[in-house]
Amino acid sequence: MVAEPSLSELRVADEGFLVASMIERCPKTMMVRELVRNAIEAAGSAAPGGRRVEIGTALIDGIAKLRIWNTGTGLTAAELHRMCDIASSIGKPHGLDGNFGMGAKVASLPSNQRGMHYRSCRQGVVHEVVLAKQGGVYGRLIRNGRDVADVTALALREGRDLRCDWTEVVLMGNHEIQDTAADPYCGDPHSPADWLQRALSARFFRLPEGIELILLDGSAFVPVAPA
Ligand SMILES: Nc1ncnc2c1ncn2[C@@H]1O[C@H](COP(=O)(O)OP(=O)(O)O)[C@@H](O)[C@H]1O
Ligand SMILES: [Mg+2]
């Protein structure tokens, strides 16, 4: 016999307010480890030998912007749209037991109100969505009437390799001229030259078997075992 529910579940009255307050209260320096965690999880779905995460830069209007790229099953337009929502996991278990479970979008958006550009290549087709803050509201940017765009032709013109699936996020920061690779938090807090190595070492004591993680300077990340 199924027991009668003995409570009525709580819901959210003002979703926009809850989303913005969650995003703005998240410790922003969790950003890189959350993004890299997503990238590592996704790269695990690539074929052995091709499980790769690269942290580099994209040059946007002459300014370097931090870019995290990974192999692994890409996202369709519908999945790319869905993954932007808070607490929306696709193809991985949803749980409250993750170590730093605030999530990449929540951790990254306060520092990237000008945009988190997500692109994903799935079976040779590339889609793009841009998460941003406008007029106090967080959402997907609407460009040419759409919030998810097919950018396959553009990606080909850029010389991108579409023969295997990949996903990337480019972080635009909070200011047009902000180099988000050197200064991911726009000076608050200040980022030392080795900020990336430090942030990753504090989070990843080991990488899953077969995952290669390449840093900004082209070196491979070697986790440091805790003392
Ligand atoms: N780098 C990535 N590569 C491929 N898929 C990704 C990547 N980042 C997120 N996703 C997809 O988006 C979904 C949402 O990500 P999730 O980790 O649940 O939230 P958050 O982005 O808040 O950390 C994931 O279930 C996964 O399918
Ligand atoms: Mg995540």
Side-chain angles (χ1 to χ4, degrees), residues 61-163:
D61 297 329
I63 310 286
K65 302 289 182 183
L66 185 65
R67 169 175 171 263
I68 298 168
W69 177 95
N70 58 268
T71 55
T73 310
L75 301 164
T76 62
E79 287 169 341
L80 203 51
H81 185 275
R82 193 145 53 88
M83 64 96 50
C84 295
D85 286 329
I86 305 298
S88 148
S89 287
I90 301 160
K92 61 184 178 190
H94 206 186
L96 293 174
D97 56 352
N99 277 347
F100 297 95
M102 285 304 285
K105 295 164 303 242
V106 170
S108 308
L109 276 166
S111 307
N112 293 284
Q113 298 178 12
R114 294 185 63 86
M116 289 176 79
H117 290 229
Y118 271 100
R119 269 192 193 181
S120 196
C121 174
R122 166 83 159 256
Q123 295 181 343
V125 181
V126 187
H127 286 99
E128 181 179 76
V129 66
V130 178
L131 281 164
K133 186 183 189 188
Q134 273 185 10
V137 177
Y138 287 98
R140 305 170 188 85
L141 276 192
I142 296 175
R143 295 170 300 169
N144 301 319
R146 294 177 167 274
D147 56 8
V148 177
D150 183 332
V151 294
T152 310
L154 178 63
L156 282 171
R157 279 201 300 280
E158 288 175 358
R160 309 296 293 270
D161 187 345
L162 311 188
R163 288 171 301 180

